[in-house]
Amino acid sequence: MTAAPLNATWSIGQLTDEDTAVLVRWRSDLVVPELSRQYPRQFVVTWVFHDVQANGLPGPDEAQQAQALEELLTPALEAADASVLALVSTGSGHREWFFYCSDPLVLEARLNTVLSGMPPYPLELHTGLDPEWEVFLDNILPFITGAP
């Protein structure tokens, strides 16, 4: 099974974080029980915005840079079924890409390869064991306006 088929189905919703909106895009076509066995670990890439608008979203230039980075990172991190991008959230001064994987060290090496020779990005990495995808299923998805 390819982790991120070209015809992946994405849904869009919104979280409320204090007084700001957080825009959320998630893969609504994921078969979590099957994938959670293959990808028990979380690998979260966070871009901390410097140009934050009053609504918590990035300014247009930084939003465009973050989108360009996503278009570089996602195919590299998902190649050869190494991971699946499950969710992207933007708001409260940052964008987070939530990947699930079997080996975060593989993704970190791929991330470093993609970023080598590029100017530094304001990125933070977080990894953790989440074999039941609880962060995605229990702590995020239920709070998204528009989610099933």
Side-chain angles (χ1 to χ4, degrees), residues 40-44 98-101 104 126-130 135-136:
R41 298 187 176 276
Q42 218 184 54
F43 186 84
V44 181
F98 287 81
F99 290 88
Y100 279 90
C101 65
H126 305 279
T127 63
L129 187 60
D130 187 11
V135 170
F136 177 66

Side-chain angles (χ1 to χ4, degrees), residues 3-124:
L6 294 175
N7 60 351
T9 303
W10 289 89
S11 295
I12 298 171
Q14 180 176 314
L15 290 169
T16 301
D17 182 20
E18 297 174 13
D19 295 328
T20 64
V22 177
L23 305 177
V24 182
R25 187 169 30 99
W26 72 96
R27 286 275 306 273
S28 52
D29 64 342
L30 296 178
V31 181
V32 173
E34 177 185 321
L35 288 173
S36 66
R37 287 188 291 277
Q38 184 177 355
Y39 304 120
R41 298 187 176 276
Q42 218 184 54
F43 186 84
V44 181
V45 180
T46 303
W47 177 310
V48 180
F49 297 127
H50 294 291
D51 178 21
V52 181
Q53 308 299 304
N55 62 2
L57 297 175
D61 290 341
E62 205 165 12
Q64 186 177 21
Q65 292 170 359
Q67 184 60 38
L69 179 66
E70 180 177 330
E71 292 170 7
L72 289 173
L73 288 183
T74 303
L77 298 184
E78 289 186 331
D81 289 339
S83 72
V84 61
L85 177 60
L87 178 132
V88 180
S89 68
T90 305
S92 296
H94 61 276
R95 177 172 291 177
E96 292 182 307
W97 294 275
F98 287 81
F99 290 88
Y100 279 90
C101 65
S102 58
D103 187 351
L105 295 176
V106 169
L107 297 194
E108 187 174 356
R110 289 180 181 188
L111 176 71
N112 288 331
T113 298
V114 169
L115 297 178
S116 67
M118 298 178 90
Y121 287 97
L123 300 179
E124 298 173 359

